[in-house]
Amino acid sequence: NVVAHCNINIKAINTKMPDSVAVKSKTGALGEIKFIRATSYFYLAQLWGAVPIIEDNDKLIANPLVPRHKLTDVYKFIINDLRYAVANLPKTDQPGRVTTWSAQGLLAKVYLTRAGLGQNGSRNQSDLDSAAYYAGNVCNTSGLTLLPSYYNLFRTQFNDNPESLFAFQWAPGVGYGQGNAIQTQFAPSSSLVTGGGGWGGAIGPTIDLANLYTAQDS
């Protein structure tokens, strides 16, 4: 879903955006979209390994039988999108918007992950060096800082703080199918959810797991 939305917008920007729009604005928008697409493919690669690489939705409609690509190619695709984002995203933006530091931080993580693929316990030194380079850029040249309290990272009033390079922007008070509905899916009782919206009691631990706990564990 996310990849398809990204592809639609990339194609629209490249084919329909008027010449009156500044090149920097165009490449910046593409950088944001490619960052999101790379993030999506990074999740896909970690969860399922080899997956289809889809860049054009129209071609997919015409030919929906798309084979999976090699995992090595999926990671190349992710890295190409992120390197574009690194080069075209701004150094600063509104809180919650991605910047070059967001892309460099994720790129470091991607390189670090790829370093161990197919290495039988060892690591690819070139990927490790790339991970260290981009992580070092964020740590040493971004001007961003860590929150003094790790605990505060999980409090809503500290959303989009300088330590947060990228975070999903959940919208409160929206309808079903929007925002973060995890609490409604897993809450065993509506009394635990604001507005009485919990109905996910069937999604819970098995009796075998529950039996491993005692009253003292709570």
Side-chain angles (χ1 to χ4, degrees):
N1 248 349
V2 175
V3 169
H5 279 295
C6 290
N7 291 340
I8 289 171
N9 283 283
I10 290 172
K11 191 168 187 176
I13 289 173
N14 285 328
T15 60
K16 297 182 179 181
M17 181 171 283
D19 294 337
S20 58
V21 177
V23 173
K24 187 176 181 180
S25 296
K26 175 181 177 179
T27 56
L30 289 172
E32 283 189 326
I33 297 168
K34 291 191 176 190
F35 175 92
I36 297 298
R37 187 170 68 176
T39 301
S40 301
Y41 265 107
F42 190 35
Y43 278 117
L44 289 168
Q46 292 175 95
L47 290 169
W48 285 287
V51 294
I53 296 175
I54 300 169
E55 294 184 83
D56 191 323
N57 298 348
D58 294 335
K59 290 181 179 179
L60 181 66
I61 293 171
N63 182 24
L65 299 179
V66 181
R68 295 187 300 167
H69 285 74
K70 293 180 179 179
L71 185 57
T72 52
D73 290 335
V74 176
Y75 270 93
K76 287 179 182 178
F77 184 75
I78 294 168
I79 289 170
N80 285 341
D81 266 0
L82 286 177
R83 288 177 73 95
Y84 183 95
V86 167
N88 291 283
L89 285 171
K91 291 183 178 180
T92 60
D93 209 326
Q94 298 169 311
R97 296 290 290 271
V98 291
T99 64
T100 185
W101 310 118
S102 309
Q104 292 192 50
L106 183 57
L107 191 52
K109 191 172 183 178
V110 169
Y111 274 121
L112 186 61
T113 304
R114 193 178 74 164
L117 291 178
Q119 298 298 313
N120 297 318
S122 61
R123 295 290 184 270
N124 180 288
Q125 189 58 49
S126 176
D127 282 344
L128 290 178
D129 291 342
S130 294
Y133 171 79
Y134 286 106
N137 275 352
V138 175
C139 292
N140 299 321
T141 63
S142 69
L144 301 174
T145 57
L146 301 179
L147 278 183
S149 169
Y150 179 70
Y151 172 78
N152 283 338
L153 284 173
F154 303 93
R155 304 175 71 188
T156 56
Q157 61 264 47
F158 292 93
N159 282 351
D160 300 323
N161 65 78
E163 183 175 335
S164 177
L165 297 180
F166 169 66
F168 293 119
Q169 303 295 306
W170 299 112
V174 294
Y176 178 71
Q178 304 178 62
N180 184 351
I182 289 177
Q183 76 282 3
T184 62
Q185 297 292 338
F186 287 90
S189 168
S190 294
S191 63
L192 301 177
V193 181
T194 302
W199 57 81
I203 304 175
T206 63
I207 188 62
D208 294 332
L209 179 61
N211 286 339
L212 295 176
Y213 289 84
T214 67
Q216 286 73 30
D217 291 321
S218 64

